[in-house]
Amino acid sequence: MTTEADFIQNIEQYIIPCIAKGNPSPDTLEAYMKHIRIFFKWCHKNNRQPLKMTEQQIRIYYQELLDKGYKPLTIHIKISALKALYRAAIYQNLIFDNPCSNIQTQGGNPPTLRYYLDMNQLQVVCNTYNDEPDDFVRNRNTLILYLFSVEGLRPVDIFRLNMQDINWENYTIEISSSDVSNVAQTQQIYPCQETINVLVDYINSIPGPIIDELIGKLAPLIISNSKNNFAGRLSRNGMRLIINNALDKAGLKISGASANLLRNSCGTNLFKATNDIKLVQKTLRQQNISSAMKFMEDNPILSKRATNIIAPKRSK
């Protein structure tokens, strides 16, 4: 029988069946866990026991979120995480009622494409590093923006990419991913010509000392040039910092949205340009894509590089 202490200590494994129909992406799982950890800290600070909270005590937490100025959608997401937490506790027979059941939040389920940047705005964002004097930093940061906003990749996809994943003959990129059960999946993506151009410029601008460090190794595609992680894999936090800086410079930063904002922009703009939702699902590699659709990607020909129509054109 699961104890309360075991449940709290291993909450991540218990909450998985309670979100995204039991198959959340790593980023979705981490987002829920972030809000749950914040709630646990609040409980500790206020001498509360998370699994013994009443509806009234949850409402006190809710009111504090309002008092701190959180936006309705952010509060909705935080409470949604708590509802999942208590559903998990019910499944383990640790509690019998969900104290969040009657807590109504504004915003409803946030649509996948709720916030996005149109193509003119993305043009500005993708040009924000044009004044960066370091060729390597400029091209790397720009490539990150294109991989998110044009090709629709997830942070974990880009973080895991290696130089060896690029097929230079056909200009395709192999994406390896795994679900929460660690089942490996591999797919090819067909980046558009603008993304390919940015990629080539980036590869050509990698400094000699970094190349020397990577010879004979499995080389990450997105490389750090910091002193503490020289020639290492740039962290997801590092990528988010680059995106946030670009959005800030462009005056387009939305609180709580960075990588997802660019990925949502890819899906929205692609749908607006093509009116083809299946193409959007394929490009974003969403979990509900029909398994047969992968057979539509047999040949890496130019006509399959559909994202070309939404890619910002760089000014050099």
Side-chain angles (χ1 to χ4, degrees):
M1 180 177 177
T2 304
T3 65
E4 182 174 331
D6 176 71
F7 178 82
I8 296 295
Q9 184 175 356
N10 300 288
I11 181 59
E12 184 169 321
Q13 74 179 63
Y14 292 115
I15 201 173
I16 287 173
C18 301
I19 53 179
K21 298 181 179 179
N23 191 26
S25 70
D27 284 341
T28 296
L29 178 59
E30 175 55 29
Y32 272 77
M33 287 303 304
K34 179 185 73 173
H35 295 299
I36 290 172
R37 285 191 289 265
I38 291 172
F39 175 67
F40 283 168
K41 289 181 180 178
W42 182 88
C43 289
H44 179 75
K45 178 181 177 182
N46 291 276
N47 296 315
R48 306 287 190 189
Q49 297 184 48
L51 298 190
K52 291 182 171 59
M53 293 284 285
T54 65
E55 179 180 321
Q56 183 58 36
Q57 290 168 337
I58 294 292
R59 290 189 181 278
I60 292 173
Y61 178 68
Y62 178 89
Q63 186 61 48
E64 286 197 18
L65 296 178
L66 289 173
D67 294 342
K68 289 181 178 179
Y70 284 106
K71 293 183 178 179
L73 181 58
T74 301
I75 294 176
H76 171 79
I77 294 171
K78 286 179 175 291
I79 298 300
S80 294
L82 297 193
K83 289 181 178 180
L85 165 69
Y86 290 116
R87 285 198 301 271
I90 291 172
Y91 291 162
Q92 298 302 317
N93 296 315
L94 293 171
I95 61 175
F96 298 100
D97 297 299
N98 192 326
C100 295
S101 294
N102 296 323
I103 306 294
Q104 300 297 319
T105 54
Q106 299 178 20
N109 294 323
T112 302
L113 307 179
R114 185 182 181 89
Y115 298 123
Y116 76 99
L117 304 179
D118 63 30
M119 292 168 60
N120 290 330
Q121 292 171 321
L122 284 177
Q123 181 80 62
V124 175
V125 171
C126 288
N127 284 338
T128 52
Y129 286 102
N130 283 358
D131 58 356
E132 168 58 51
D134 187 311
D135 287 347
F136 169 74
V137 173
R138 180 178 67 254
N139 291 317
R140 181 199 62 192
N141 294 2
T142 302
L143 176 61
I144 289 171
L145 296 174
Y146 270 71
L147 291 176
F148 277 114
S149 66
V150 179
E151 307 306 331
L153 298 191
R154 301 179 177 91
V156 66
D157 295 329
I158 301 175
F159 174 74
R160 291 173 175 170
L161 279 177
N162 299 306
M163 295 288 184
Q164 291 83 351
D165 294 327
I166 303 172
N167 182 324
W168 291 106
E169 181 179 353
N170 294 320
Y171 287 108
T172 59
I173 300 177
E174 190 171 90
I175 300 291
S176 297
S177 60
S178 60
D179 57 25
V180 294
S181 59
N182 292 321
V183 177
Q185 298 177 340
T186 301
Q187 294 174 294
Q188 280 191 332
I189 66 167
Y190 303 82
C192 71
Q193 189 61 54
E194 282 295 323
T195 303
I196 291 170
N197 292 342
V198 178
L199 175 61
V200 171
D201 286 348
Y202 165 65
I203 297 296
N204 290 335
S205 67
I206 298 175
I210 290 181
I211 294 175
D212 293 339
E213 286 287 330
L214 296 176
I215 290 177
K217 299 178 182 178
L218 184 64
L221 178 62
I222 306 301
I223 303 170
S224 169
N225 63 332
S226 69
K227 293 181 180 179
N228 295 331
N229 188 30
F230 186 75
R233 194 177 298 274
L234 186 68
S235 69
R236 281 188 273 182
N237 283 337
M239 286 190 286
R240 289 189 179 98
L241 182 62
I242 288 168
I243 295 171
N244 284 332
N245 184 52
L247 293 171
D248 280 335
K249 289 176 66 176
L252 295 169
K253 183 72 177 76
I254 295 176
S255 178
S258 56
N260 284 338
L261 174 63
L262 298 188
R263 180 171 152 83
N264 290 346
S265 299
C266 169
T268 305
N269 289 320
L270 190 57
F271 179 71
K272 289 174 65 176
T274 65
N275 201 34
D276 187 343
I277 193 60
K278 288 188 176 181
L279 176 60
V280 173
Q281 291 175 337
K282 280 176 54 184
T283 300
L284 298 183
R285 296 175 299 112
Q286 295 170 328
Q287 293 179 355
N288 60 349
I289 299 175
S290 170
S291 59
M293 292 183 68
K294 64 182 180 182
F295 298 109
M296 299 172 64
E297 300 178 343
D298 289 337
N299 300 306
I301 56 178
L302 186 61
S303 62
K304 303 187 79 65
R305 306 183 194 281
T307 55
N308 187 63
I309 59 178
I310 65 170
K313 304 302 183 285
R314 290 185 299 163
S315 56
K316 292 189 175 180

